[in-house]
Amino acid sequence: MTDDLRDTLDHVGDRFNLGEYEIDAYLAVLEHGELTASDIADRTDIPQPRVYDTVRSLSDRGLVELRESRPMKIVAVDPDDAFGDLRSSFAEMVDELEARYTAPTRETEAVSLVKSRSTILRYLEEVIGGAEYELAVSLTPGLLRRFRDDLAAKVAEGVSVELLVTPASKAPDPDEFDYLEVSTIARARRGITTPILAVADGEYSVYATQDALRDDRERYGVIFNRSALGFLVSGFFGTVLWTTAETLATNGADRPFPRRYASIRRAVKDVKEFGEDDFYAAVEGRDIETGEEVTVRGRVVDLAFEESEEVASLMVETASGRVEIGGRVAALEDVEGQEIVIGRDEPPAL
C-alpha cells in the first residue's frame, strides 16, 4: 500500500469514525447552527454528563467549534469547509482500493464476534430484513427511527414483531408515535444497560451492548448466523428483558390464524389470550429423550404458563395420545418445539 493511500485512509477514518452520540450531536448542531451543551442534551438521547466529551470529539475532527463562554457554545462548521478537502482524495482512494480488491470466499459461521459499529448496524438490518414470521428487537429510540421503515415492512408482511425500546424515558410518546405501524406489541424498559438485539425466527440473531453503538470503548457484537444457539438470545429477551418492561401498544389479537412461531412462549401466550377458543397445533421438533426429529399434530387441550415466562408449554391431543410441547432445550416436556404453527378448526400445514 502506498504512503499516500495509507495517509488518506487514516484521514478519512479519523473523520468518519463517529459513534451514535457524536452523530446525534453533530446533526443537532448542524440543524440549529449554535447550541449549548444543555440544548444538545434536550434535543438528543445523549446523557448530560456525556455531552462535553462528545462535542470535544467533534471539535477534534474539525466538525464544530467550541466557544469557551458561560455556558460553552457549540457552533457548526460549514460542511463544505469541514469535508471539502476529502472530496477529491476520497474519490481517488476508492478507485485505488477497488483496483486492489479481491472478492473473498464467504463462509457461513454459526457464531462470530464483530467489533465495528457499522458492521453491527449492518447485521441488525440483515436480521430484521430476514425475518419470515417472527422478530424480536431491542432498540434505542435512535435505532427505532433508523429502522422504522424496515420494521413497518415486516409488519405489513404479517411478521409478528415484538419491539422493546430503551431507555423508557427517551421512548417516543405513544400519542405521537404509531408503534403499531412497526410492531405487533411494543414495550419500553428502563436502563441504558439494556442491550441492543434482534432475533429473526428464533435462529438468526445479533446482540450488542449500547456502548458498542455509541463510542469507541469496548465495542462488540455477537452474531448467531442461522444457529440453534440463537435461542439463547431469544430466551434472554423473553425472560429477562421483556418481562421487566411496560407495554406501550399492542394489537396481537388482530393478527389472523394460522400463526407460525419459533418461540413456545409466544405461541402459548397467543392461545391463552383467546381463552376458551379451540386451537390446533402442528409442531416440528425433537423427542427430548432420543433426539429424533418428530412432527406432532392435534388439538391443543391444555397449556402451562407463568407470568415470568420461565414456564411455557402446550399439551396436544394426537391420534396416539397426548404430547406435551416445550421450548428449546426442553427437559420436562415430551418434545422440544422448534417450529410451531397454531391454527383454528384443524391442524395447520407446516
Side-chain angles (χ1 to χ4, degrees), residues 226-246:
R226 300 297 175 188
S227 166
L229 293 176
F231 85 88
L232 294 173
V233 183
S234 180
F236 174 75
F237 176 88
T239 59
V240 177
L241 303 183
W242 192 251
T243 56
T244 54
E246 298 295 327

Side-chain angles (χ1 to χ4, degrees), residues 32-69:
H32 295 87
E34 179 181 301
L35 293 174
T36 66
S38 294
D39 292 333
I40 292 174
D42 291 341
R43 289 170 169 79
T44 67
D45 297 330
I46 307 173
Q48 181 79 37
R50 296 296 303 277
V51 172
Y52 287 98
D53 288 342
T54 300
V55 297
R56 291 191 188 282
S57 174
L58 293 175
S59 176
D60 291 343
R61 288 173 167 82
L63 301 181
V64 301
E65 294 179 0
L66 303 183
R67 294 182 181 171
E68 300 292 346
S69 56

Side-chain angles (χ1 to χ4, degrees), residues 243-263:
T243 56
T244 54
E246 298 295 327
T247 300
L248 297 171
T250 180
N251 71 344
D254 295 334
R255 293 176 56 234
F257 285 92
R259 300 179 185 177
R260 190 176 301 271
Y261 308 87
S263 165

Side-chain angles (χ1 to χ4, degrees), residues 23 77 131 291 295 309 344:
I23 292 171
V77 173
T295 299
E309 303 197 13
R344 298 182 185 274

